[in-house]
Amino acid sequence: MKKSLFTLILISISLTHYGQVLSPIIKPHPSIDNQRLAYVDTVLKHYVDKNWLTGAVTIVIKDNQVVHYKGHGYADLASKKPMPADAIFRIMSQTKGITSVGIMQLYEKGKFSLDQSIGDFIPEFKKPKVIQDYNPADTSFTFINAKREITFRDLLTHSSGIGYADIGSERMKAIYAKAGVPSGLGTFRANLLEKMKILGKLPLEHQPGEKFTYGLNTDLLGCLIEVISGQSLEEYLQKNIFDPLGMKDTYFNVPAEKASRLPGVYTEDTQKNVIAWAPTFRNINPNYPLDKKSYFSGGAGLSSTAFDYAIFLQMLLNGGKYNGKQILGRRTVELMTSPQLDFIKDGADNFGLGFSVTSEKSSHLHGRNKGSFNWGGYYGTTYWADPKENMICLIMTQHTPNSHGDYSRKVENIIYSSLLR
């Protein structure tokens, strides 16, 4: 009898943590002070009223249960259309976490090892070069041979030496622009593999594995998914992540019937007044989610909702499992969310295989616990998952740059102050 009762308890615990499908319906939680949590609404209303923020969606999930989920302000400032909770955001670099999971699924199938050369799959990356001298007058450069090959681990930790088109260092922006290598931010009428082959012939900013440099690493990982799987990145992610998880609002190409759920995109003028993002500003037309495209940027191409992305994060907190489906192995998730870089100093946050990882020092300065993993997107979306609290938080906006971006830290402080036990 006791053995049967114990077995039932184990089954119950398993279903609670792994079998439960997230519901968007908000329910009270014994570990959350709802009066304190309501200050999220108060703070964001203040920022909207001050015209410091156009609109946002926030969601908090504690122990597989939605405890806060709300739209704030406006999806469209001119018409004062309210921001719906199910708004579809251009998540830009939040795409990176999903692509990283995709490549690690192939790792689990034995398609490659983490410290294997990516040149084994795209030969143009064999025998990489490192920039030595650069002339900004004509973007000419000299180079030296890299000490070793670029590996999958280098790409996942942004330590390969590959820079970023449009948003990276001045010299790498110029070199990539001259070679026609795109940033992945927006719409591109190009072939992903052909552009990555060009990237493979260009110099690195530093020796592989030498330091963290945010770059086109995840676009390259998306291309490697296509090469290894034989599918487009769109097809692969749909089949292996979105469909199994029930992520019904995550797309490279947002369907026309869902276009009304895309909020407007905003920036600031020289006086720091909020203005609409013009179609030619920074060479990114904000309508790109509706453009039918076949260049799938693994680093910046997706659009999604707060709830859909919360499902993705819940899968990771569950050790790779969600709704009875094992998307990724438990130990693989642990690898992805563990510090990988040994040259990070002074208690700064480290980087795992696709995610920033909160350090012990950072955990003493702010709410997030050591081991929380996070990232964000160019247009102002951000997220973190805290394994110690079994908690997921997302703040989704479409406003960059924002001179009043401190709202994000304030929201985080409120969320953690609402925890009772």
Side-chain angles (χ1 to χ4, degrees):
M1 180 68 180
K2 287 183 178 180
K3 186 176 181 181
S4 298
L5 180 60
F6 180 69
T7 302
L8 286 172
I9 290 171
L10 287 179
I11 292 172
S12 177
I13 291 172
S14 178
L15 287 173
T16 298
H17 289 288
Y18 302 120
Q20 181 177 331
V21 176
L22 289 177
S23 168
I25 298 173
I26 301 168
K27 294 182 180 179
H29 191 288
S31 296
I32 298 289
D33 184 327
N34 288 317
Q35 286 186 317
R36 285 177 174 266
L37 191 58
Y39 282 116
V40 169
D41 303 350
T42 304
V43 165
L44 291 179
K45 183 178 185 303
H46 174 72
Y47 276 69
V48 171
D49 290 347
K50 287 285 189 178
N51 202 28
W52 293 343
L53 179 69
T54 54
V57 171
T58 49
I59 190 168
V60 179
I61 294 169
K62 172 70 173 165
D63 299 327
N64 288 65
Q65 180 180 311
V66 174
V67 297
H68 169 94
Y69 183 26
K70 189 172 183 179
H72 311 265
Y74 308 106
D76 181 76
L77 195 57
S79 66
K80 301 296 184 183
K81 176 185 176 182
M83 177 70 79
D86 67 348
I88 298 175
F89 291 84
R90 305 153 186 84
I91 62 171
M92 289 288 192
S93 285
Q94 281 190 211
T95 306
K96 290 179 169 67
I98 294 174
T99 302
S100 298
V101 165
I103 196 72
M104 291 304 287
Q105 289 177 322
L106 296 173
Y107 159 81
E108 289 189 329
K109 293 179 179 179
K111 299 295 186 180
F112 64 90
S113 63
L114 287 175
D115 297 309
Q116 183 174 356
S117 169
I118 62 170
D120 291 345
F121 298 90
I122 305 178
E124 283 76 7
F125 283 91
K126 289 183 176 180
K127 298 181 180 180
K129 311 294 183 182
V130 178
I131 194 166
Q132 186 174 39
D133 298 306
Y134 171 71
N135 183 355
D138 60 2
T139 70
S140 62
F141 54 83
T142 61
F143 56 81
I144 58 174
N145 293 329
K147 296 176 182 178
R148 64 168 176 80
E149 298 289 309
I150 300 169
T151 68
F152 284 85
R153 193 187 304 271
D154 293 330
L155 297 182
L156 284 157
T157 56
H158 290 273
S159 59
S160 67
I162 294 172
Y164 228 132
D166 291 346
I167 60 174
S169 68
E170 291 303 317
R171 65 182 185 178
M172 299 312 288
K173 285 194 295 183
I175 290 170
Y176 292 160
K178 187 175 183 179
V181 175
S183 66
L185 282 68
T187 300
F188 301 95
R189 307 300 179 194
N191 179 278
L192 178 61
L193 179 58
E194 291 306 313
K195 291 298 183 182
M196 292 300 101
K197 286 180 176 180
I198 293 171
L199 178 65
K201 293 297 186 181
L202 299 176
L204 304 175
E205 197 149 19
H206 55 75
Q207 292 287 345
E210 183 180 80
K211 61 181 180 178
F212 179 92
T213 297
Y214 196 48
L216 287 167
N217 300 279
T218 322
D219 281 64
L220 181 50
L221 285 171
C223 183
L224 285 161
I225 287 175
E226 294 193 340
V227 170
I228 295 169
S229 72
Q231 298 174 282
S232 74
L233 185 60
E234 182 181 49
E235 292 168 337
Y236 181 89
L237 296 181
Q238 191 69 48
K239 179 180 178 181
N240 294 281
I241 297 178
F242 304 151
D243 286 345
L245 290 178
M247 295 171 66
K248 300 177 181 178
D249 288 316
T250 303
Y251 305 98
F252 282 106
N253 293 297
V254 174
E257 61 269 22
K258 295 186 178 183
S260 62
R261 291 166 58 191
L262 284 165
V265 181
Y266 297 88
T267 185
E268 298 176 353
D269 62 18
T270 55
Q271 304 302 311
K272 298 182 179 179
N273 297 310
V274 177
I275 58 172
W277 186 287
T280 57
F281 184 55
R282 296 186 177 179
N283 298 314
I284 306 173
N285 187 327
N287 286 327
Y288 74 85
L290 303 174
D291 292 340
K292 184 63 177 177
K293 63 186 77 66
S294 59
Y295 186 100
F296 303 119
S297 167
L302 287 172
S303 297
S304 186
T305 61
F307 186 73
D308 253 19
Y309 209 89
I311 290 174
F312 171 73
L313 294 174
Q314 189 65 65
M315 174 272 295
L316 293 172
L317 279 190
N318 289 351
K321 194 171 186 178
Y322 182 83
N323 191 26
K325 297 180 177 66
Q326 195 74 47
I327 303 299
L328 207 60
R330 175 187 60 81
R331 183 60 185 138
T332 304
V333 175
E334 291 172 354
L335 284 174
M336 294 187 72
T337 56
S338 296
Q340 295 284 322
L341 304 178
D342 58 9
F343 42 75
I344 300 289
K345 305 295 183 183
D346 303 320
D349 288 348
N350 207 297
F351 210 83
L353 302 176
F355 305 94
S356 178
V357 182
T358 302
S359 68
E360 184 171 5
K361 182 175 182 179
S362 289
S363 73
H364 296 323
L365 298 175
H366 304 289
R368 300 177 202 180
N369 288 292
K370 179 183 177 181
S372 297
F373 53 96
N374 71 90
W375 205 240
Y378 180 77
Y379 273 146
T381 59
T382 189
Y383 70 87
W384 71 94
D386 188 329
K388 183 177 179 180
E389 301 292 348
N390 195 20
M391 186 167 70
I392 293 161
C393 308
L394 291 106
I395 307 169
M396 310 285 271
T397 74
Q398 302 280 252
H399 182 163
T400 191
N402 189 336
S403 301
H404 301 279
D406 58 344
Y407 66 83
S408 182
R409 185 65 75 181
K410 290 179 180 179
V411 169
E412 177 183 342
N413 295 340
I414 291 167
I415 291 169
Y416 280 92
S417 72
S418 72
L419 295 176
L420 296 173
R421 60 177 185 270

